[in-house]
Amino acid sequence: MKTTASSMFRNANDDRLARPPRPRYGVDAPSFPALLGAAGTACCLASGRWRRGRTATATAGAVLLAGTGVYLHTTLRGKVGIWERELDRAGLKGDELLLDLGCGRGTVLIAAAGRLPDGRAVGADLWSGTDQSGNRPETTLANAAAAGVADRVDVHTADMTALPFADDSFDVVTSALAIHNISSSEGQRRALDEAMRVLRPGGQLLIADFWFAARKYAAHLGRGSTLRPLGPGYWYGGPWLAVTLLRAVKER
């Protein structure tokens, strides 16, 4: 049977329409990689016009463009795989109630929900588009539906420094690159205290944030909290913005 170009295009289009939608988690702080990439491009273009400092300018451009690629890999793919790994390491039984602080479009929330067939994953966020592109509760719920876990996901508009949940409500509290967005150190400490307040005795707190922020959190939480670098897959441009995982267990 003869296959025409139009029929091949039609079949390919039908295949795309038949595929179930996939969650789309957006880009973290989208203005940052845009500026990084623009600066890298400008350096590379300038190196072709300048004689003096040509090598240095070209090198700077290459470094900036490489950093842009590393950033985009982390935000689009790297962090997803790393959180899948860390949630596996958390040893969830499948019936826990989990809270994700600053859930955004649902990277951690949805990965956790997939491991909670008899539990529930609750997300809390203020839905800032500056911190993540297209950040809206409707988007998070659509991503949960695309992942097949909408029946075990809830989202709330809530401030991390004053959570609308009772003491000892959750078995696990997670947060990914969210607490550092609170402008004051006092506010960050309040968010940590709130996370521990709503966590049940024996429950675990898992926070991924920039290494320098995670160190401050660990100092505030004190004894029993541990820090572990998450590797190049969670670098926002390079090792200077590497992400560290803080883990703490609430005393019984």
Side-chain angles (χ1 to χ4, degrees), residues 43 98 111 125 128 133 138 184 192 194:
C43 286
L98 179 145
D125 206 302
S128 166
S133 63
E138 297 83 4
S184 69
L192 293 168
E194 280 290 273

Side-chain angles (χ1 to χ4, degrees), residues 124-172:
D125 206 302
L126 289 176
W127 315 108
S128 166
T130 301
D131 300 328
Q132 189 174 56
S133 63
N135 193 17
R136 295 183 299 274
E138 297 83 4
T139 302
T140 308
L141 293 173
N143 280 337
V149 296
D151 60 330
R152 59 189 95 150
V153 167
D154 294 315
V155 296
H156 295 261
T157 299
D159 187 336
M160 286 186 285
T161 65
L163 293 171
F165 307 113
D167 296 357
D168 306 337
S169 297
F170 296 92
D171 301 292
V172 183

Side-chain angles (χ1 to χ4, degrees), residues 23-33 71 74-77 79-80 83 100-110 124-137 139-141 143 176-178 180-181 234 236:
R24 296 181 179 275
Y25 296 122
V27 175
D28 298 331
S31 61
F32 188 86
Y71 188 109
T74 287
T75 193
L76 296 173
R77 296 179 61 88
K79 69 177 183 181
V80 178
W83 268 106
D100 185 37
L101 299 176
C103 65
R105 294 173 59 158
T107 302
V108 180
L109 182 72
I110 291 167
D125 206 302
L126 289 176
W127 315 108
S128 166
T130 301
D131 300 328
Q132 189 174 56
S133 63
N135 193 17
R136 295 183 299 274
T139 302
T140 308
L141 293 173
N143 280 337
L177 274 288
H180 78 270
N181 290 318
Y234 224 148
Y236 282 88

